[in-house]
Amino acid sequence: MTAGLAAGIAAVTVPVVLAVSLWGHARRPGVLVAAVRAHGTVPGPLVRPVAALAVAAEAVTGAGAAAGLLLGLDDLLRACLALAAVLLGAYALYGTHVARTRPHAVPCGCAGDASTPMTGWVAVRAGALAVLALAGAVWGPPASRPPAESLIVVAMGLVWAVLLWSLPPAMAQERERSPAG
């Protein structure tokens, strides 16, 4: 995969995933607060502000990256993808910590989802998105592409978004069906 292709895919995938996450949090605002409380990593009085800050950070980085992409503002796109890389990298580290230190399954709370447990797959998804966002921030999509190539990049970005978004719930369902699970 060329750098320009990876950057183009990132420019589509990252804002789409952050928009889906924001939509889920808006539909079920209390789920993230309950999940963070169940994670046991944040002192009680700070749970609600930390959850609100996470949602706000997703909203700002996702909207900024989408605006940069749609309006052709390369500097805005790259800056927001860099911020998203930091945010998603922090999520990956946080997810790893919670998955390793909780004696029982706790909900992820990602996008208002109370049914997907916080597992290593949540951390893998966040890490993959962080790497993708970093690629987009470093290389940025090429200034111009032929329309057919742009269509392919958008399609690939959407496919990556769906695959990465579906990974943790799919793996949780697989674990439940597995005889060893």
Side-chain angles (χ1 to χ4, degrees), residues 89-160:
Y91 284 176
L93 292 173
Y94 179 82
T96 299
H97 171 74
V98 171
R100 288 184 172 197
T101 60
R102 295 301 149 257
H104 61 285
V106 293
C108 169
C110 305
D113 179 6
S115 63
T116 300
M118 180 68 89
T119 65
W121 290 109
V122 172
V124 167
R125 173 180 62 196
L129 286 165
V131 169
L132 210 53
L134 183 60
V138 170
W139 291 300
S144 64
R145 296 179 196 259
E149 188 176 326
S150 294
L151 183 61
I152 291 169
V153 167
V154 169
M156 289 178 69
L158 293 173
V159 167
W160 272 94

Side-chain angles (χ1 to χ4, degrees), residues 22-93:
L22 184 60
W23 173 251
H25 290 306
R27 287 182 48 224
R28 295 179 220 85
V31 171
L32 183 60
V33 171
V36 171
R37 189 169 284 119
H39 298 164
T41 57
V42 177
L46 297 178
V47 167
R48 191 170 300 280
V50 165
L53 181 62
V55 173
E58 288 180 4
V60 169
T61 57
L69 177 66
L70 295 173
L71 300 174
L73 302 172
D74 191 53
D75 289 343
L76 177 62
L77 174 61
R78 286 176 182 240
C80 289
L81 287 175
L83 291 172
V86 172
L87 177 66
L88 292 161
Y91 284 176
L93 292 173

